Amino acid sequence: MTNYESDLLRLMNDRGYIHQLTDADGLDQLATKTIIPGYVGFDATATSLHVGNLVQIMLLRRLQQAGHKPIVVMGGGTTKVGDPSGKDEVRKLLDNDGINANIASIKSSFERFLTFGDGPTDAIMVNNADWLDSLEYIPFLRDVGRHFTINRMLTFDSVKLRLDREQPLTFLEFNYMILQAYDFLELSRQHACRLQLGGSDQWGNIVNGIELGRRIDGAELYGLTTPLITKADGSKMGKSVDGAIWLNEDRLSPYDYWQFWRNTDDRDVGKFMRLFTDIDLAEIARLEALEGADINEAKKILADAATAMAHGTEAANKAAITAQKTFEQGQSGGDLPVLEVADEQISMLNALVSIGFCASKGEAKRMIAGGGARLDDEPVQDAGTMIAIRDTDIKISAGKKKHGLLRRAA
């Protein structure tokens, strides 16, 4: 079904978010009649979410834009177990302090994308530890566990992947899908939540929650998943050659975030605009049709819009100006990372490591040997190079995308 009546499913469909729906007609009709609370769960395995999580955040944004209520579920409880979906090995388990610190750090990301408050369509944030931590094992097994069969659980991709590859799947992780299903039941009871959204790898978990709600409470619940978001080269969204593209500014600067979007493959420009920005669909159609050098202007528009959403308009403008000065005018942009040097000189190896461009001196040596290290745009060929610090900034570069400044300490 693609001729949706509701603003919600039309918006989701037109921008490319829909992969699977449990009951398209039922959800479509419900969305025309009432405000639907819908949720996405986020486990707190790191201090920041990354671009790989962004499509799920955008699902909640679209839900709110269509006049419905987003529920952000922080996995304070499920993080203690670990989601086996898409994983080949057991996650490192975190303690309560680590999980709570991660949740506190992650929270700020959502405030850029969603409007929180007490209104009927305002977003709320909840922590599933509030109900999971107080569960008693035997009553939970008796009341909830009896609705799950091992036969069926073994057919889910998250389980089959690990077993087919003969990778260990702990009993702890095996329980994850039951706990996620129970989340949907509790959210239905506490917040009248009717919809769970997630990536395609969560389909089995979502269906479990819908069936559990129907069996125990007779609730009519729905699920929607997105397609796997990959780049044109087939690589997974959210990763770059330099690692994860974090959403928190303390993990990745707005300038580097802007650069990630600016370096989008020509073939992905339209898709990423639809998924990750609020740019009008007609304008996207015009921009993605550009060819040759003109498509670079579309990429800048994508980078501006995506960065403004995650970090604010001012940060996006600064990043764009810095990029223009650095790449187009040959100047040193004011938003580049700066390494202040107290001594009269510093080795090239130490400079590359200290500014964060290389993780070790060994990596820095390989960067130099490969011709990727430069000072003031001139290649550095000797790993033993010493840099004399002067009163004016020295531009240091690693590869085509990493640029910074060496500056005499005040």
Side-chain angles (χ1 to χ4, degrees), residues 161-206:
L161 175 68
R162 294 273 279 276
L163 297 181
D164 289 346
R165 297 182 181 179
E166 298 184 353
Q167 298 286 349
L169 178 72
T170 68
F171 179 71
L172 182 67
E173 292 174 295
F174 198 61
N175 280 269
Y176 186 94
M177 61 186 76
I178 301 178
L179 296 178
Q180 185 171 326
Y182 186 73
D183 280 349
F184 205 173
L185 179 66
E186 280 295 326
L187 290 164
S188 170
R189 291 171 172 176
Q190 296 184 26
H191 301 286
C193 183
R194 305 291 296 277
L195 174 64
Q196 183 180 173
L197 309 116
S200 57
D201 62 332
Q202 296 298 315
W203 178 251
N205 292 334
I206 291 173

